[in-house]
């Protein structure tokens, strides 16, 4: 899930792995008539109804706090309003506060919250930390320092987080949010169209690397030239869970070649990036990848589900992706589970600096991680209407309802919510205890050697902007294969030199080496 992020996605989206990845980041779909404007056009959808107004009136002078959440699946406005009413009844009884739910499609979420953070309209929000976003939010003064709030919080809340998770939401020893309770990092897989897999007798388990994926893509392209063999994971991003390591030191410009490396480079100069892009460029040249991938506005797994594409790369975790994306099957692992510096806590929840009610906002933030009834309402919806508990004690869709028809999309894609460990197990869960499964996953996943290192970029604003513009200019066109890396690398290196990249990376390398020497 960019995380499923994600994303979408979340997909962050994620993903959204850390929907898958931003953990299971990434589905969007449905018509504008059956989902919020956020899911169809990227605009925020604020829950409102006469019933909601009645709840607020009954709540008297209680503070109402906005809660911003990225969507990975369709939500109807009616369902959001119903869930908001139920949540507010619970909040009024237990915390003396109210909330307003604001949902935004994951691909447009970052833009939406950056705009909302300039006002007092936003109180508590999800945010993604990939590509150095945590340091950007902190350096821009957008996130409230919650260190003292956390230190004075309940033992239940404090004991919910590992030292690594606290480090992931901190800079210079100060906390700015709470990480999503999920597994660290993710593995790379391919999401495949089930109908074509069965029709052509493809063995998904045989797809274990980019070579074997390519062999299958060529066969599908020959048999079904009318569809795309491979599409980006989300929008124009070929994959969130990239086979290179990024986000070193909470930056958006420093990368290492693999999980074990500590040599800092630009992404364009990594051997692993070159290898990946050589595959995609060849596939693009041979017509396997959609020709307009660089301007794609759709989420890859949704296209695979609909039969418009055969495959997309995706970041996965302990949850089975094929239950989230109907009509799909999943390949074997293409890249083993690993977590870079920004994967541990790649999705977090924090408080806007401009919130008019920081004390009440932390009350809501804390409850999101400790109150199982609140969290289940928020992520699953209303029991009996949006989900049911079956005879096995697991959550499932109500009779006759599916992921496509259930109106409150959170149950279909819970990766962007704060603490899914609080929720009842889903019928589709492949484990009996999510907490145990997550702990076991985290124990085996490889973590970048650079984890915990922080590079202060507060004096490099102009440089960071210049580098971001450079990446936006080249990165996705190279990753999707529409441009060959070797054709533009000399130009990129000249531009890197012009913006002072090599001087900055040398200073950062010096600080990283000193940090590692003390570990």
């Amino acid at each position: 899930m960019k995380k499923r992020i994600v994303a979408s996605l979340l997909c962050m989206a994620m993903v959204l792995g850390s929907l898958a990845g931003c953990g299971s980041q990434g589905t969007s779909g449905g018509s504008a008539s059956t989902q919020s404007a956020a899911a169809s056009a990227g605009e925020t959808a604020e829950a409102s109804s006469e019933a909601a107004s009645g709840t607020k009136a009954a709540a008297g002078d209680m503070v109402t706090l906005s809660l911003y959440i990225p969507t990975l699946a369709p939500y109807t406005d009616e369902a959001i309003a119903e869930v908001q009413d139920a949540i507010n009844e619970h909040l009024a009884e237990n915390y003396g506060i109210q909330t307003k739910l604001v949902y935004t499609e994951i691909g447009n979420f970052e833009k939406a919250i950056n705009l909302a953070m300039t006002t007092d309209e936003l109180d508590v929000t999800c945010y993604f930390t990939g590509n150095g976003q945590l340091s950007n939010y902190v350096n821009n003064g957008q996130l409230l320092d919650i260190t003292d709030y956390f230190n004075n919080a309940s033992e239940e809340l404090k004991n919910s987080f590992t030292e690594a998770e606290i480090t992931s939401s901190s800079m210079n020893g100060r906390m700015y949010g709470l990480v999503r309770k999920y597994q660290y990092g993710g593995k790379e897989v391919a999401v495949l169209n089930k109908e074509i897999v069965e029709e052509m007798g493809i063995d998904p388990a045989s797809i274990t690397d980019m070579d074997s994926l390519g062999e299958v893509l060529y066969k599908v392209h020959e048999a079904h030239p009318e569809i795309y063999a491979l599409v980006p994971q989300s929008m124009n991003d070929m994959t969130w869970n990239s086979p290179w390591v990024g986000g070193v030191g909470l930056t958006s410009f420093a990368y290492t070649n693999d999980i074990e490396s500590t040599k800092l480079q630009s992404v364009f100069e990594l051997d692993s990036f070159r290898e990946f892009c050589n595959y995609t460029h060849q596939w693009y040249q041979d017509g396997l990848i959609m020709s307009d991938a660089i301007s794609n506005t759709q989420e890859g797994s949704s296209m695979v589900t609909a039969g418009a594409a055969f495959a997309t790369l995706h970041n996965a975790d302990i949850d089975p992706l094929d239950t989230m994306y109907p009509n799909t099957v999943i390949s074997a692992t293409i890249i083993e589970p690993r977590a870079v510096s920004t994967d541990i806590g790649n999705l977090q929840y924090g408080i806007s600096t401009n919130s008019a009610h920081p004390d009440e906002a932390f009350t809501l933030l804390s409850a999101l991680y400790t109150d199982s009834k609140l969290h289940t309402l928020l992520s699953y919806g209303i029991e009996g209407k949006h989900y049911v508990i079956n005879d096995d004690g697991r959550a499932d869709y109500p009779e006759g309802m599916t992921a496509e028809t259930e109106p409150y999309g959170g149950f279909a894609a819970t990766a962007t919510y704060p603490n899914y460990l609080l929720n009842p197990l889903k019928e589709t869960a492949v484990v009996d205890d999510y907490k145990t499964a997550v702990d076991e996953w985290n124990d085996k996943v490889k973590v970048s050697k650079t984890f915990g290192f922080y590079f202060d970029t507060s004096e490099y604003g102009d440089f960071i902007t210049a580098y971001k513009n450079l990446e936006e200019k080249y990165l996705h066109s190279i990753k999707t294969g529409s441009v060959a890396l070797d054709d533009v690398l000399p130009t990129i290196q000249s531009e890197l030199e012009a913006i002072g990249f090599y001087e900055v990376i040398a200073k950062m390398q010096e600080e990283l080496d000193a940090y590692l020497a003390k570990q």
Side-chain angles (χ1 to χ4, degrees):
M1 315 185 194
K2 171 174 182 200
K3 230 59 14 173
R4 90 164 192 41
I5 232 339
V6 126
S8 133
L9 258 269
L10 261 253
C11 132
M12 194 148 39
M14 153 265 292
V15 149
L16 183 210
S18 144
L19 249 182
C22 171
S24 304
Q25 296 187 31
T27 84
S28 59
S31 67
S33 63
T34 60
Q35 61 183 338
S36 68
S40 62
E43 299 177 356
T44 57
E46 298 185 3
S48 60
S49 66
E50 291 182 5
S53 298
T55 300
K56 290 180 181 179
D61 295 328
M62 290 184 189
V63 168
T64 297
L65 304 155
S66 62
L67 175 59
Y68 279 61
I69 302 171
T71 62
L72 296 172
Y75 296 68
T76 67
D77 290 337
E78 181 181 2
I80 294 174
E82 290 173 338
V83 171
Q84 179 175 287
D85 287 349
I87 287 174
N88 279 333
E89 182 178 350
H90 179 76
L91 290 174
E93 292 176 356
N94 294 276
Y95 304 97
I97 58 176
Q98 300 284 272
T99 192
K100 177 179 69 176
L101 303 180
V102 184
Y103 286 88
T104 303
E105 192 276 325
I106 193 168
N108 299 289
F109 187 72
E110 182 181 331
K111 180 178 179 181
I113 64 171
N114 272 299
L115 179 60
M117 281 180 171
T118 63
T119 71
D120 61 1
E121 293 294 316
L122 186 153
D123 295 295
V124 177
T125 184
C126 171
Y127 59 91
F128 304 101
T129 63
N131 296 323
Q133 280 299 93
L134 176 59
S135 58
N136 289 347
Y137 285 128
V138 173
N139 290 334
N140 291 338
Q142 294 169 288
L143 286 175
L144 184 71
D145 182 340
I146 65 167
T147 310
D148 293 337
Y149 284 112
F150 185 78
N151 289 339
N152 294 315
S154 68
E155 292 302 313
E156 181 182 9
L157 179 68
K158 291 189 287 188
N159 292 336
S160 298
F161 299 92
T162 66
E163 287 300 320
E165 290 169 332
I166 292 173
T167 298
S168 294
S169 59
S170 302
M171 283 177 51
N172 293 327
R174 307 298 294 179
M175 287 183 68
Y176 292 91
L178 302 176
V179 304
R180 172 189 56 166
K181 294 299 297 183
Y182 215 75
Q183 67 283 333
Y184 304 154
K187 59 185 179 181
E188 185 87 337
V189 299
V191 176
L192 315 173
N193 180 271
K194 183 178 182 179
E195 293 178 1
I196 295 178
V197 164
E198 293 176 348
E199 170 200 324
M200 298 183 62
I202 297 167
D203 179 11
S206 69
I207 301 175
T208 58
D209 53 27
M210 294 289 279
D211 283 324
S212 53
L213 174 61
E215 291 176 8
V216 171
L217 293 179
Y218 279 103
K219 292 178 182 178
V220 171
H221 179 62
E222 182 177 357
H224 289 278
E226 74 280 5
I227 67 170
Y228 303 117
L230 183 67
V231 292
Q233 179 174 352
S234 181
M235 310 292 280
N236 63 356
D237 196 346
M238 205 64 197
T239 172
W240 290 339
N241 191 25
S242 308
W244 50 87
V245 180
V248 177
L250 300 184
T251 72
S252 57
F253 56 85
Y255 299 80
T256 63
N257 200 54
D258 56 55
I259 208 75
E260 298 294 329
S261 176
T262 59
K263 180 182 178 182
L264 304 178
Q265 297 175 271
S266 76
V267 64
F268 303 104
E269 297 170 301
L270 299 175
D271 292 339
S272 54
F273 182 75
R274 176 186 298 276
E275 180 180 2
F276 178 84
C277 294
N278 283 345
Y279 281 108
T280 58
H281 182 61
Q282 186 62 57
W283 296 344
Y284 184 90
Q285 294 293 103
D286 293 340
L288 306 187
I289 297 176
M290 59 192 307
S291 59
D292 58 346
I294 192 62
S295 58
N296 177 48
T297 59
Q298 300 182 66
E299 198 277 327
S301 295
S302 295
M303 298 177 70
V304 174
T305 293
F310 169 67
T312 186
L313 292 169
H314 209 298
N315 45 322
D317 48 55
I318 60 176
D319 276 332
L321 287 175
D322 49 3
T323 64
M324 179 180 295
Y325 305 114
N327 193 35
T328 68
V329 294
I330 311 303
S331 73
T333 299
I334 296 174
I335 300 173
E336 290 300 319
R338 84 288 186 278
V340 303
S341 299
T342 50
D343 277 341
I344 304 178
N346 63 355
L347 185 155
Q348 304 183 16
Y349 277 78
I351 301 170
S352 171
T353 302
N354 287 327
S355 170
H357 306 284
D359 293 350
E360 292 85 353
F362 188 81
T363 296
L364 176 60
L365 180 63
S366 177
L368 291 173
Y369 285 84
T370 57
D371 187 329
S372 59
K373 182 175 181 178
L374 171 63
H375 196 276
T376 302
L377 270 171
L378 181 65
S379 53
Y380 282 8
I382 300 171
E383 184 177 354
K385 179 169 287 191
H386 306 122
Y387 76 99
V388 294
I389 299 297
N390 62 24
D391 293 339
D392 296 324
R394 292 192 170 207
D396 203 351
Y397 291 105
E399 185 177 355
M401 194 174 285
T402 67
E404 288 76 28
T405 60
E406 195 275 302
Y408 189 75
F411 184 67
T414 56
T416 59
Y417 290 97
N419 187 0
Y420 86 131
L421 303 181
L422 295 173
N423 295 338
L425 278 173
K426 290 184 181 180
E427 173 60 27
T428 54
V430 295
V431 300
D432 294 323
D433 183 339
Y434 264 129
K435 186 179 187 308
T436 299
V438 167
D439 288 344
E440 290 176 353
W441 170 282
N442 292 343
D443 286 341
K444 71 181 180 180
V445 70
K446 292 183 178 180
V447 178
S448 169
K449 286 186 175 181
T450 65
F451 175 69
F453 170 65
Y454 165 65
F455 182 67
D456 187 357
T457 60
S458 57
E459 298 181 1
Y460 296 93
D462 291 342
F463 162 76
I464 291 172
T465 299
Y467 185 86
K468 182 178 181 180
N469 290 339
L470 191 153
E471 275 204 358
E472 289 180 351
K473 180 179 178 182
Y474 294 105
L475 186 61
H476 293 306
S477 60
I478 296 172
K479 285 174 68 176
T480 57
S482 58
V483 173
L485 175 60
D486 288 342
D487 290 347
V488 294
L489 184 57
T491 301
I492 291 173
Q493 289 173 323
S494 294
E495 294 186 24
L496 287 171
E497 185 172 2
I499 65 174
F501 172 82
Y502 296 106
E503 289 82 359
V504 175
I505 210 70
K507 178 174 175 53
M508 184 176 174
Q509 184 74 64
E510 181 180 348
E511 292 189 15
L512 174 60
D513 292 343
Y515 168 82
L516 294 172
K518 296 177 181 178
Q519 301 307 301

